[in-house]
Amino acid sequence: MTPCATTRLAFCLFLLFGASACPPGDGAGDTGGDSPAEDVTYVPNEWGFDIRVPDPDALTCWGCFTSGTFGDQGRICSFSYDGLSAIVYASSRACHPEGAMPPEYATAAQLASGGAVVPLEGATYSYGTNHFNDSLEFDYAGLHLRFFHSSFGSLWRRCQPMDCFQVYDSTGTLVEDGCTCERTLPAVCVEIQPDGTWAELVDTFEVCPEDRVCG
């Protein structure tokens, strides 16, 4: 490898895996990036969440392998675990001053159960590298939950929204992996669209075409 190529590779790795530039969320649906002059639209909903309309053109990124415009992300997920049936809302704002790809996100999340809405600590949303194998994590009741995917298609790419979750204890030890081929801890996640709508929370999971592990 030539010195020029080596320098380019090092620069690319810095852009892709450099330190986070996102501010932490405030845990109330607004993720800390708003200014008083910013026009933010919130959507009424049956759970009482602070659901905001995501900006589809929040960030223009560039990197070594791909480039493009990336929007803020909003997710609503339903799940059940150990007697708890709940709905989670996460608002993730795209941010990265260097404009590198993939983008990073400042995330805040809320949980609704039994008519009450509570903010969630430790909420993070990951774009999941160039393949967009995204994930959502948060702390609740002494546990750490990670929503992810149980099936991947060609070139290890997800083919549908997050459909399962994994449970970790307070030390970061995996307690239960519900994202195996058996999908023992199913979840239903839908994306909030730029017009402020979202699909019904109905489980439509199917194994991805060309899934060589679970197919």
Side-chain angles (χ1 to χ4, degrees):
M1 183 178 292
T2 66
C4 180
T6 301
T7 301
R8 175 177 170 79
L9 176 60
F11 182 62
C12 291
L13 292 175
F14 171 77
L15 290 177
L16 289 174
F17 303 110
S20 172
C22 292
D26 66 5
D30 180 326
T31 54
D34 298 335
S35 65
E38 185 177 4
D39 184 15
V40 179
T41 301
Y42 292 93
V43 185
N45 58 92
E46 62 184 283
W47 306 287
F49 291 137
D50 299 323
I51 295 181
R52 56 179 296 152
V53 175
D55 180 357
D57 303 311
L59 185 68
T60 298
C61 294
W62 52 271
C64 302
F65 309 111
T66 188
S67 62
T69 299
F70 295 84
D72 295 335
Q73 300 287 330
R75 296 288 187 279
I76 300 174
C77 299
S78 63
F79 74 101
S80 297
Y81 182 73
D82 195 24
L84 170 70
S85 293
I87 307 291
V88 169
Y89 163 64
S91 174
S92 304
R93 305 204 63 202
C95 60
H96 203 307
E98 293 84 2
M101 176 10 196
E104 297 177 355
Y105 292 88
T107 299
Q110 299 171 299
L111 181 145
S113 180
V117 175
V118 297
L120 293 171
E121 300 294 331
T124 59
Y125 175 81
S126 172
Y127 186 85
T129 70
N130 296 343
H131 288 184
F132 196 10
N133 295 330
D134 58 342
S135 62
L136 171 66
E137 305 182 36
F138 57 86
D139 299 325
Y140 185 73
L143 298 172
H144 184 80
L145 274 63
R146 179 176 185 257
F147 286 68
F148 195 47
H149 305 269
S150 61
S151 180
F152 300 89
S154 176
L155 299 178
W156 203 250
R157 295 177 185 270
R158 59 102 161 177
C159 65
Q160 55 204 330
M162 292 175 281
D163 64 84
C164 59
F165 63 99
Q166 301 162 315
V167 181
Y168 297 79
D169 65 18
S170 59
T171 69
T173 300
L174 182 63
V175 174
E176 187 171 357
D177 185 357
C179 292
T180 62
C181 292
E182 288 72 26
R183 193 175 171 242
T184 55
L185 295 177
V188 177
C189 291
V190 294
E191 181 177 353
I192 300 171
Q193 302 301 315
D195 63 359
T197 63
W198 54 86
E200 292 186 65
L201 286 168
V202 177
D203 194 345
T204 59
F205 170 79
E206 294 182 357
V207 174
C208 292
E210 301 184 40
D211 187 333
R212 298 183 179 181
V213 177
C214 302

